[in-house]
Amino acid sequence: MLLPIYLYGHPVLRATAEPLTAEDNNDELRSLIADMWETMEHSEGVGLAAPQVGESIRLVVLDGSALAEHYPECADSRMCLINPEITPAEDAQPVSYEEGCLSLPGLSETVKRPDKIHMSWLDENFQPKEGDFSGFLARIIQHECDHLIGKVYIDHISPIRKQLIKSKLNNIVRGRISCGYRTKSAPKK
Ligand code: NI
């Protein structure tokens, strides 16, 4: 089932997401994960975090495989992340690169992030996993994990840059956007 994607300005995107426990390993969760895959693929995203579909839990689906031609590190990167924990690698370098987000349609901004990370997480079967990631794949993971702590990528841009895109941000908050997927904007004040 396609789920609406919650837009920038909605409070769920600012909440700290709750970790999942073994008790959450049930059909309801499997159904949510399946819906998130479908929603991400339909909206042509490379990642989707549960808060973006209104669920404040530490769950992410991501797949950068379609970008593998330009970013070989993204080959076979289809992953479901439960309770991911990331740390920058010791030899990580800050790298600036363009990012976008399904919760901020029509916008992209340059964001500086470490180029290498280490991550531990549970897969969709609650099996523990660990790995090192670099390049654009490390960027996708960091972007999605930000959503789990109530952050969006524009929190990383300069105040001046943020001022320059203020009217665009206001339009998103008010739901004055058009995009090829269903969205849900902030409740009216
Ligand atoms: Ni995003």
Side-chain angles (χ1 to χ4, degrees):
M1 185 177 69
L2 287 176
L3 304 170
I5 293 181
Y6 285 53
L7 293 178
Y8 175 76
H10 197 289
V12 73
L13 295 177
R14 290 310 192 181
T16 302
E18 290 293 326
L20 294 178
T21 66
E23 285 162 27
D24 297 308
N25 187 1
N26 56 31
D27 286 346
E28 198 186 337
L29 182 71
R30 276 181 283 280
S31 154
L32 174 64
I33 293 171
D35 289 346
M36 284 176 63
W37 280 123
E38 194 184 340
T39 303
M40 188 195 87
E41 281 154 14
H42 173 79
S43 53
E44 295 179 348
V46 293
L48 185 66
Q52 294 182 276
V53 293
E55 298 290 340
S56 194
I57 52 176
R58 293 183 61 80
L59 168 66
V60 164
V61 295
L62 71 88
D63 189 359
S65 306
L67 309 173
E69 195 185 325
H70 289 102
Y71 310 103
E73 66 275 18
C74 288
D76 303 315
S77 59
R78 189 177 163 98
M79 283 189 276
C80 174
L81 311 176
I82 291 171
N83 300 344
E85 297 294 341
I86 54 175
T87 45
E90 257 172 48
D91 60 343
Q93 300 293 324
V95 172
S96 292
Y97 209 82
E98 196 111 320
E99 287 184 30
C101 179
L102 294 173
S103 294
L104 293 116
L107 214 63
S108 63
E109 290 293 322
T110 301
V111 178
K112 195 186 271 183
R113 297 189 189 271
D115 63 346
K116 287 182 195 168
I117 56 163
H118 181 80
M119 175 167 66
S120 58
W121 74 101
L122 304 176
D123 69 9
E124 61 271 44
N125 301 311
F126 283 68
Q127 293 306 302
K129 304 269 176 181
E130 226 177 301
D132 296 305
F133 301 91
S134 63
F136 200 69
L137 182 54
R139 180 170 295 274
I140 299 171
I141 292 169
Q142 290 175 83
H143 174 119
E144 297 310 328
C145 288
D146 268 0
H147 282 299
L148 305 180
I149 54 169
K151 278 180 115 174
V152 289
Y153 76 95
I154 54 160
D155 298 342
H156 296 283
I157 68 176
S158 72
I160 295 170
R161 189 65 212 152
K162 204 165 174 178
Q163 188 62 36
L164 287 170
I165 60 168
K166 199 176 176 187
S167 65
K168 286 184 184 172
L169 290 175
N170 283 337
N171 284 339
I172 296 172
V173 171
R174 294 186 186 124
R176 288 195 211 127
I177 48 112
S178 71
C179 59
Y181 47 90
R182 206 148 63 87
T183 57
K184 191 174 168 82
S185 49
K188 290 208 170 56
K189 288 199 177 121

